[in-house]
């Protein structure tokens, strides 16, 4: 089984709808991240969480919110989806300072989102 | 805003040749550097990390770091068509996150 999973893998929605993308991991990592990827723009950080009680905005957090339900789960919500949020979304995880692997990130398979 | 710059390519090399991918970064205090490979429509996968000046080799891959010049590179020896992908350079920023370059697309021609 994959260490980092994302659901759904593909999603089509309409403008104004609220949707949630989910990420789960079995790596035992404390740190989790949400990115979006657009052609020509690379990977951009939306939100990140270094532990269950720590949530931080990334480069492009407007229009998004997150919830860290447990160490293993980190969800991304689009409160009112708009077409320019059409993108490929990735969740990633990394370890802790105590294990020395806090910087190496491992990515989930991605969610392809289309907002009509 | 800290930046990581890569030539977008595409970089085209013949099979068996050495592919050289380059990356520069703006934050002089950065200490940790990563190379990821991403096939079209797939997620990035870690190839190598490098933390000290000099070269680090892993199989056909060699990462090179020059902190004085704020430059990190990836060499792929004996390039294979299966190496055709986009290569992402990433640098750890001041908040402990990775800052990614936009990637260089590599095409290895049989």
């Amino acid at each position: 089984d994959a260490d980092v999973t994302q659901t759904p893998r593909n999603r089509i929605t309409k403008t104004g709808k609220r949707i949630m993308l989910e990420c789960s991991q079995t790596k035992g990592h404390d740190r989790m991240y949400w990115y979006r990827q657009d052609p020509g723009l690379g990977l951009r950080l939306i939100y990140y969480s270094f532990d269950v009680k720590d949530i931080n905005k990334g480069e492009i957090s407007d229009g998004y919110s997150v919830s860290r339900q447990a160490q293993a789960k980190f969800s991304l919500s689009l409160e009112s989806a708009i077409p320019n949020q059409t993108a490929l979304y990735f969740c990633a995880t990394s370890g802790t300072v105590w294990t020395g692997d806090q910087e190496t990130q491992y990515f989930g398979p991605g969610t392809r989102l289309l907002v009509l | 805003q800290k930046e990581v710059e890569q030539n977008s390519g595409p970089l085209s090399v013949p099979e068996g040749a050495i592919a050289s991918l380059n990356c520069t970064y703006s934050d002089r205090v950065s200490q940790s550097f990563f190379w990821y490979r991403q096939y079209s429509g797939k997620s990035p996968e870690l190839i190598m990390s490098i933390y000290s000046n000099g070269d680090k080799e892993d199989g056909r891959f060699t990462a090179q770091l020059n902190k004085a010049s704020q430059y990190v590179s990836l060499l792929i020896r004996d390039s294979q068509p299966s190496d055709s992908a986009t290569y992402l350079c990433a640098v750890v920023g001041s908040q402990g996150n990775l800052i990614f370059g936009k990637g260089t697309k590599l095409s290895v021609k049989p």
Side-chain angles (χ1 to χ4, degrees):
Chain A
D1 288 339
D3 293 324
V4 185
T5 58
Q6 293 183 234
T7 56
R9 294 293 312 279
N10 294 279
R11 178 73 183 269
I12 300 174
T13 191
K14 294 182 178 180
T15 296
K17 295 291 187 181
R18 182 181 189 276
I19 66 164
M20 179 182 289
L21 309 182
E22 298 185 335
C23 177
S24 295
Q25 52 109 351
T26 58
K27 298 182 77 67
H29 284 169
D30 283 344
R31 300 184 175 194
M32 299 187 73
Y33 310 80
W34 275 106
Y35 293 90
R36 66 177 279 176
Q37 188 173 41
D38 301 273
L41 295 180
L43 280 165
R44 293 183 292 168
L45 183 64
I46 306 173
Y47 271 95
Y48 62 101
S49 170
F50 282 178
D51 65 41
V52 174
K53 297 181 180 179
D54 176 73
I55 303 288
N56 302 282
K57 293 182 177 180
E59 179 186 355
I60 53 162
S61 59
D62 287 349
Y64 302 94
S65 63
V66 292
S67 172
R68 184 82 184 266
Q69 300 95 324
Q71 185 203 35
K73 296 184 182 295
F74 193 34
S75 299
L76 176 71
S77 293
L78 285 67
E79 299 301 326
S80 179
I82 56 177
N84 78 359
Q85 292 177 313
T86 292
L88 185 55
Y89 289 84
F90 289 107
C91 173
T93 74
S94 65
T96 70
V97 173
W98 314 114
T99 56
D101 61 348
Q102 73 274 15
E103 296 173 341
T104 304
Q105 292 187 19
Y106 300 90
F107 285 79
T111 294
R112 192 170 297 277
L113 175 65
L114 173 61
V115 183
L116 300 175
Chain B
Q1 174 72 6
K2 305 299 188 287
E3 293 183 346
V4 178
E5 299 288 341
Q6 295 182 255
N7 188 321
S8 62
L11 173 66
S12 184
V13 300
E15 184 174 356
I18 295 175
S20 178
L21 305 162
N22 304 313
C23 172
T24 59
Y25 59 95
S26 63
D27 188 353
R28 184 169 292 277
V29 301
S30 296
Q31 296 293 321
S32 305
F33 308 86
F34 301 84
W35 282 100
Y36 284 80
R37 177 177 61 199
Q38 186 176 24
Y39 293 111
S40 182
K42 303 296 185 183
S43 59
E45 56 179 325
L46 181 69
I47 299 176
M48 292 188 69
S49 59
I50 187 166
Y51 306 99
S52 302
N53 279 328
D55 296 357
K56 179 181 178 182
E57 186 174 320
D58 183 359
R60 295 187 296 112
F61 298 96
T62 298
Q64 299 175 318
L65 175 60
N66 183 325
K67 292 183 180 179
S69 299
Q70 295 176 236
Y71 176 91
V72 58
S73 65
L74 180 70
L75 301 178
I76 306 175
R77 290 182 301 281
D78 188 24
S79 296
Q80 301 297 309
S82 58
D83 294 326
S84 297
T86 296
Y87 289 80
L88 305 173
C89 173
V91 174
V92 175
S94 58
Q95 302 301 313
N97 304 310
L98 287 182
I99 302 170
F100 285 87
K102 294 179 181 179
T104 298
K105 187 172 184 178
L106 172 67
S107 177
V108 181
K109 303 296 186 183

Coordinates of all heavy atoms in Angstrom, one line a residue, chain A residues 28-70:
Chain A
G28 N 4.1 7.8 9.5 CA 4.3 8.3 10.9 C 5.0 9.6 10.9 O 5.6 10.0 11.9
H29 N 4.8 10.4 9.9 CA 5.4 11.7 9.8 C 4.6 12.7 10.5 O 3.3 12.7 10.5 CB 5.6 12.1 8.4 CG 6.8 11.5 7.7 ND1 7.0 11.5 6.3 CD2 7.8 10.7 8.2 CE1 8.1 10.9 6.0 NE2 8.6 10.4 7.1
D30 N 5.2 13.7 11.1 CA 4.5 14.8 11.8 C 4.1 15.9 10.8 O 3.1 16.6 11.0 CB 5.4 15.4 12.9 CG 5.4 14.5 14.1 OD1 4.6 13.7 14.2 OD2 6.3 14.7 15.0
R31 N 5.0 16.2 9.8 CA 4.8 17.3 8.9 C 4.0 17.0 7.7 O 4.3 16.0 7.0 CB 6.1 18.0 8.6 CG 6.9 18.4 9.8 CD 8.2 19.1 9.4 NE 8.9 19.7 10.6 CZ 9.9 20.5 10.6 NH1 10.3 21.0 9.4 NH2 10.4 21.0 11.7
M32 N 3.0 17.8 7.3 CA 2.3 17.6 6.1 C 2.1 18.9 5.4 O 2.0 20.0 6.0 CB 0.9 16.9 6.5 CG 1.1 15.6 7.1 SD -0.5 14.7 7.4 CE -0.9 14.1 5.7
Y33 N 1.9 18.8 4.0 CA 1.9 19.9 3.2 C 0.9 19.7 2.1 O 0.6 18.6 1.6 CB 3.3 20.1 2.5 CG 4.5 20.0 3.4 CD1 5.0 18.8 3.8 CD2 5.1 21.2 3.8 CE1 6.1 18.7 4.7 CE2 6.2 21.1 4.6 CZ 6.7 19.9 5.1 OH 7.8 19.9 5.9
W34 N 0.3 20.9 1.6 CA -0.5 20.9 0.4 C 0.1 21.8 -0.6 O 0.4 23.0 -0.3 CB -1.9 21.3 0.7 CG -2.8 20.2 1.2 CD1 -3.3 20.0 2.4 CD2 -3.4 19.2 0.4 NE1 -4.1 18.9 2.5 CE2 -4.2 18.4 1.2 CE3 -3.4 18.9 -1.0 CZ2 -4.9 17.3 0.8 CZ3 -4.1 17.8 -1.4 CH2 -4.8 17.0 -0.6
Y35 N 0.2 21.3 -1.9 CA 0.8 22.1 -3.0 C -0.3 22.0 -4.1 O -1.0 21.1 -4.3 CB 2.0 21.5 -3.5 CG 3.2 21.5 -2.6 CD1 3.5 20.5 -1.7 CD2 4.1 22.6 -2.7 CE1 4.6 20.5 -0.9 CE2 5.3 22.6 -1.9 CZ 5.5 21.6 -1.0 OH 6.6 21.6 -0.2
R36 N -0.2 23.1 -5.0 CA -0.8 23.0 -6.3 C 0.2 23.1 -7.3 O 1.2 23.8 -7.2 CB -2.0 24.0 -6.4 CG -1.6 25.4 -6.5 CD -2.8 26.3 -6.8 NE -3.1 26.4 -8.2 CZ -4.2 27.0 -8.7 NH1 -5.0 27.6 -7.8 NH2 -4.4 27.0 -10.0
Q37 N 0.0 22.5 -8.5 CA 0.9 22.6 -9.6 C 0.1 23.0 -10.8 O -0.9 22.3 -11.2 CB 1.6 21.2 -9.8 CG 2.8 21.3 -10.8 CD 3.6 20.0 -10.9 OE1 3.0 18.9 -10.9 NE2 4.9 20.2 -11.0
D38 N 0.6 24.0 -11.5 CA 0.0 24.5 -12.7 C 1.1 24.5 -13.8 O 2.3 24.8 -13.5 CB -0.5 25.9 -12.6 CG -1.6 26.0 -11.5 OD1 -2.7 25.8 -11.8 OD2 -1.2 26.3 -10.3
P39 N 0.8 24.2 -15.0 CA 1.8 24.2 -16.1 C 2.5 25.6 -16.1 O 2.0 26.6 -16.1 CB 0.9 24.0 -17.3 CG -0.3 23.3 -16.9 CD -0.6 23.9 -15.5
G40 N 3.9 25.5 -16.1 CA 4.7 26.7 -16.2 C 4.9 27.4 -14.9 O 5.7 28.3 -14.8
L41 N 4.2 27.0 -13.8 CA 4.3 27.7 -12.6 C 4.9 26.9 -11.5 O 5.2 27.4 -10.4 CB 2.9 28.2 -12.1 CG 2.2 29.2 -13.0 CD1 0.9 29.6 -12.4 CD2 3.1 30.5 -13.1
G42 N 5.1 25.6 -11.8 CA 5.8 24.8 -10.8 C 4.9 24.4 -9.6 O 3.7 24.6 -9.6
L43 N 5.5 24.0 -8.5 CA 4.8 23.6 -7.3 C 4.7 24.8 -6.4 O 5.8 25.4 -6.1 CB 5.6 22.5 -6.6 CG 5.4 21.1 -7.1 CD1 6.5 20.1 -6.6 CD2 4.0 20.5 -6.7
R44 N 3.5 25.1 -5.9 CA 3.4 26.2 -5.0 C 2.7 25.8 -3.8 O 1.7 25.0 -3.8 CB 2.6 27.4 -5.7 CG 3.3 28.0 -6.9 CD 2.5 29.2 -7.5 NE 1.3 28.7 -8.1 CZ 0.3 29.5 -8.5 NH1 0.4 30.8 -8.3 NH2 -0.7 29.0 -9.2
L45 N 3.2 26.2 -2.6 CA 2.8 25.7 -1.3 C 1.5 26.5 -0.9 O 1.5 27.7 -0.9 CB 3.9 26.0 -0.3 CG 3.6 25.5 1.1 CD1 3.5 24.0 1.2 CD2 4.8 25.9 2.0
I46 N 0.5 25.7 -0.5 CA -0.8 26.3 -0.1 C -0.9 26.5 1.4 O -1.1 27.6 1.9 CB -2.0 25.5 -0.6 CG1 -1.9 25.2 -2.1 CG2 -3.3 26.2 -0.3 CD1 -2.9 24.3 -2.6
Y47 N -0.7 25.3 2.1 CA -0.7 25.3 3.6 C 0.3 24.2 4.0 O 0.5 23.3 3.3 CB -2.1 25.0 4.1 CG -3.0 26.1 4.4 CD1 -3.9 26.5 3.4 CD2 -2.9 26.8 5.6 CE1 -4.8 27.6 3.7 CE2 -3.8 27.9 5.8 CZ -4.7 28.3 4.9 OH -5.6 29.3 5.1
Y48 N 0.8 24.4 5.2 CA 1.6 23.3 5.8 C 1.3 23.2 7.3 O 0.9 24.2 7.9 CB 3.1 23.5 5.5 CG 3.7 24.8 6.1 CD1 4.5 24.7 7.2 CD2 3.6 26.0 5.4 CE1 5.1 25.9 7.7 CE2 4.2 27.1 5.9 CZ 4.9 27.1 7.0 OH 5.5 28.2 7.5
S49 N 1.6 22.0 7.8 CA 1.4 21.8 9.3 C 2.5 21.0 9.8 O 2.8 19.9 9.3 CB 0.1 20.9 9.4 OG -0.1 20.5 10.7
F50 N 3.1 21.5 10.9 CA 4.3 20.8 11.4 C 3.9 19.8 12.5 O 4.7 18.9 12.9 CB 5.3 21.7 11.9 CG 6.2 22.3 10.8 CD1 7.1 23.3 11.1 CD2 6.0 22.0 9.5 CE1 7.9 23.8 10.1 CE2 6.8 22.5 8.5 CZ 7.8 23.5 8.8
D51 N 2.7 19.9 13.1 CA 2.1 18.9 13.9 C 0.6 19.2 14.0 O 0.1 20.2 13.4 CB 2.8 18.9 15.3 CG 2.6 20.1 16.1 OD1 1.5 20.7 16.1 OD2 3.5 20.5 16.8
V52 N -0.1 18.4 14.8 CA -1.6 18.5 14.8 C -2.1 19.9 15.2 O -3.1 20.4 14.7 CB -2.2 17.4 15.7 CG1 -3.7 17.6 15.8 CG2 -1.8 16.0 15.2
K53 N -1.4 20.6 16.0 CA -1.8 21.9 16.5 C -1.2 23.0 15.8 O -1.4 24.2 16.2 CB -1.6 22.0 18.0 CG -2.3 21.0 18.8 CD -2.0 21.1 20.3 CE -2.8 20.1 21.2 NZ -2.5 20.2 22.6
D54 N -0.5 22.8 14.7 CA 0.3 23.8 14.0 C -0.1 23.9 12.6 O 0.1 22.9 11.8 CB 1.8 23.5 14.1 CG 2.6 24.5 13.4 OD1 2.7 25.7 13.8 OD2 3.1 24.2 12.3
I55 N -0.8 25.0 12.2 CA -1.2 25.2 10.8 C -0.6 26.5 10.3 O -0.7 27.5 11.0 CB -2.7 25.2 10.7 CG1 -3.4 24.0 11.2 CG2 -3.2 25.5 9.2 CD1 -3.2 22.7 10.4
N56 N -0.1 26.5 9.1 CA 0.6 27.7 8.6 C 0.2 27.9 7.2 O 0.1 27.0 6.4 CB 2.1 27.6 8.7 CG 2.6 27.3 10.1 OD1 2.6 28.3 10.9 ND2 2.9 26.1 10.4
K57 N 0.0 29.2 6.8 CA -0.3 29.6 5.4 C 1.0 29.5 4.6 O 2.1 29.8 5.1 CB -0.9 31.0 5.3 CG -2.2 31.1 5.9 CD -2.8 32.5 5.8 CE -4.2 32.6 6.3 NZ -4.7 34.0 6.2
G58 N 0.8 29.1 3.4 CA 1.9 29.0 2.4 C 1.8 30.2 1.5 O 1.3 31.3 1.8
E59 N 2.4 30.0 0.3 CA 2.5 31.1 -0.7 C 1.2 31.6 -1.2 O 1.0 32.7 -1.5 CB 3.4 30.6 -1.8 CG 3.7 31.6 -2.9 CD 4.4 30.9 -4.1 OE1 4.9 29.7 -3.9 OE2 4.6 31.5 -5.1
I60 N 0.2 30.6 -1.4 CA -1.0 30.9 -2.1 C -2.2 30.4 -1.3 O -3.0 29.6 -1.8 CB -1.0 30.4 -3.5 CG1 -0.6 28.9 -3.5 CG2 0.0 31.1 -4.4 CD1 -1.0 28.2 -4.8
S61 N -2.5 30.8 -0.1 CA -3.5 30.3 0.7 C -4.9 30.8 0.5 O -5.9 30.3 0.9 CB -3.2 30.4 2.2 OG -3.0 31.8 2.5
D62 N -5.0 32.0 -0.2 CA -6.3 32.6 -0.4 C -7.3 31.7 -1.1 O -6.9 31.1 -2.2 CB -6.2 33.9 -1.1 CG -5.6 35.0 -0.3 OD1 -5.5 34.8 1.0 OD2 -5.2 36.1 -0.8
G63 N -8.5 31.5 -0.6 CA -9.5 30.7 -1.3 C -9.4 29.2 -0.8 O -10.3 28.4 -1.2
Y64 N -8.5 28.9 0.1 CA -8.3 27.6 0.6 C -8.4 27.6 2.1 O -8.0 28.6 2.8 CB -7.0 27.0 0.2 CG -6.8 26.9 -1.3 CD1 -6.1 27.9 -2.0 CD2 -7.2 25.8 -2.1 CE1 -5.9 27.8 -3.4 CE2 -7.0 25.7 -3.4 CZ -6.3 26.7 -4.1 OH -6.1 26.7 -5.4
S65 N -8.7 26.4 2.7 CA -8.6 26.2 4.1 C -8.2 24.8 4.4 O -8.3 24.0 3.4 CB -9.9 26.5 4.9 OG -10.9 25.6 4.5
V66 N -7.6 24.5 5.5 CA -7.2 23.1 5.8 C -7.6 22.7 7.2 O -8.0 23.5 8.1 CB -5.6 23.0 5.8 CG1 -5.1 23.2 4.3 CG2 -5.0 24.0 6.7
S67 N -7.6 21.4 7.4 CA -7.9 20.8 8.7 C -6.9 19.7 8.9 O -6.8 18.8 8.1 CB -9.3 20.3 8.7 OG -9.6 19.6 9.9
R68 N -6.3 19.7 10.1 CA -5.4 18.6 10.5 C -6.1 17.7 11.5 O -6.1 18.0 12.7 CB -4.1 19.1 11.0 CG -3.1 18.0 11.3 CD -2.3 17.6 10.1 NE -1.4 16.5 10.3 CZ -0.1 16.6 10.6 NH1 0.4 17.8 10.7 NH2 0.6 15.6 10.8
Q69 N -6.8 16.7 11.1 CA -7.7 15.9 11.9 C -7.0 15.0 12.9 O -7.4 14.7 14.0 CB -8.7 15.1 11.1 CG -9.6 15.9 10.2 CD -9.0 16.0 8.8 OE1 -7.8 16.1 8.6 NE2 -9.9 16.0 7.8
A70 N -5.8 14.6 12.5 CA -5.0 13.7 13.2 C -3.6 13.8 12.6 O -3.3 14.4 11.6 CB -5.5 12.3 13.1

